[in-house]
Amino acid sequence: MYEWIKALHIIAVIAWMAGMLYLPRLFVYHCEAEAGSKQSETFKVMERRLLKAIINPAIVVTWLAGLYLAWAGHWFSAGWLNAKLLLVLVLSGVHGFFSRWVKDFGADRNQRTRRFYRIINEVPTILMIGIVILVVVKPF
Ligand code: HEM
């Protein structure tokens, strides 16, 4: 059972990360489209669908499967898991911001620059590297 849930966890993680890496890229391109243009409306649909159909369900499955693994494997007292949970909480917070920004773009009230989204784009990548090292290497 444990191995099956771990497979599910990794599948959900891949879907979540794919979305978390792609969505800020869409924001970068969306900044260049004029509000009300056909292109801007297309970006709105892409962003909303990516969030609702991929990213939101994926975070739920990642958390549920991850918490099951932590409980079933008696990992809650392990240092690496606590450090990983901290990084995953930050990643979940970033997810929350992304979802707010999808709403902002949807209402044509984005105030942030292309450069801002280009920088933010790197945050999920950096967090993912830390998370994967912690869970695979288990350094402490
Ligand atoms: C949402 C909260 C999360 C919890 C509670 C959690 C917890 C866990 C636990 C307990 C394991 C099993 C470790 C083992 O059997 O050695 C695991 C495996 C794994 N997790 Fe998570 N995880 C979470 C989120 C994530 C995220 C966001 C990522 C990647 C960005 C991730 C990547 C992985 C990977 C790659 C494995 C497989 C490691 C291996 O088999 O060596 N997890 N997770």
Side-chain angles (χ1 to χ4, degrees), residues 35-138:
S37 65
K38 193 165 179 282
Q39 209 183 18
S40 169
E41 295 306 307
T42 306
F43 281 128
K44 284 183 193 177
V45 174
M46 290 170 79
E47 287 155 2
R48 205 171 42 240
R49 286 204 184 140
L50 185 61
L51 184 71
K52 304 267 181 222
I54 310 275
I55 307 184
N56 285 350
I59 190 183
V60 175
V61 178
T62 300
W63 267 102
L64 290 179
L67 288 174
Y68 171 83
L69 293 172
W71 169 77
H74 308 286
W75 292 117
F76 277 118
S77 53
W80 66 267
L81 181 67
N82 288 293
K84 177 179 164 171
L85 279 174
L86 187 71
L87 296 189
V88 179
L89 278 174
V90 176
L91 190 63
S92 304
V94 173
H95 180 141
F97 280 110
F98 283 7
S99 116
R100 189 192 297 173
W101 298 337
V102 166
K103 283 201 193 104
D104 284 350
F105 272 111
D108 291 323
R109 53 162 195 257
N110 170 55
Q111 302 286 334
R112 293 162 211 92
T113 62
R114 202 180 126 87
R115 192 175 137 72
F116 172 83
Y117 292 115
R118 289 236 311 262
I119 294 167
I120 285 294
N121 200 8
E122 307 305 328
V123 176
T125 312
I126 294 164
L127 290 169
M128 177 195 64
I129 292 169
I131 291 167
V132 171
I133 291 173
L134 282 168
V135 67
V136 174
V137 181
K138 299 185 177 55

